[in-house]
Amino acid sequence: MNRISKMVLRMYVPAVVITLGGLATAEAVTRTERVLVGIPPQRLASLSFLLAILLGTGWALHSSWRLYRWARGRELRCACGGMMSRLRYNRQRQKYRKCLACGGKSLEGAHCAGG
């Protein structure tokens, strides 16, 4: 698997996990057969799965938007050509970004290949 494929996989896996987690939650709520807060379990299960689908779709759309911007050269790039993550802080409270393709880290303010 090449670096770009890993980057795309890292961006879309959370959307799939959110959706599958919603499905598991809906199944668990349905099997409990207990009325919670006056809402029947079937309705609560369908609402939880709907929420998970909406969150997963939102995450996938955001990832698609970032990939579109990256392909157009509007996102920060690593030296390997991969997209940089959001701004993070390490234990020394230094700002850094992580490459979604190769996994390398670069301190904020350090030279990036793109911009």
Side-chain angles (χ1 to χ4, degrees):
M1 181 180 284
N2 65 17
R3 289 183 183 160
I4 304 304
S5 298
K6 286 182 185 178
M7 180 178 73
V8 171
L9 188 65
R10 286 178 183 161
M11 291 184 76
Y12 285 104
V13 162
V16 173
V17 170
I18 289 170
T19 306
L20 291 177
L23 178 64
T25 302
E27 185 64 27
V29 167
T30 302
R31 290 181 185 228
T32 60
E33 297 181 3
R34 288 180 41 196
V35 177
L36 301 171
V37 194
I39 301 173
Q42 293 80 10
R43 185 165 183 90
L44 192 59
S46 65
L47 288 174
S48 66
F49 189 49
L50 176 64
L51 179 64
I53 288 174
L54 290 175
L55 288 173
T57 302
W59 190 290
L61 287 172
H62 181 260
S63 296
S64 298
W65 175 248
R66 288 200 63 204
L67 280 173
Y68 172 77
R69 289 178 45 88
W70 172 78
R72 300 283 183 218
R74 296 182 183 139
E75 287 281 337
L76 290 176
R77 290 178 183 250
C78 177
C80 73
M83 186 181 352
M84 300 300 282
S85 72
R86 63 180 171 78
L87 197 59
R88 300 175 184 197
Y89 293 93
N90 61 13
R91 290 183 182 170
Q92 293 79 30
R93 301 299 298 160
Q94 296 172 320
K95 297 177 185 177
Y96 75 96
R97 293 181 187 267
K98 188 172 179 181
C99 177
L100 296 174
C102 69
K105 296 178 183 176
S106 70
L107 292 175
E108 189 68 15
H111 177 69
C112 288

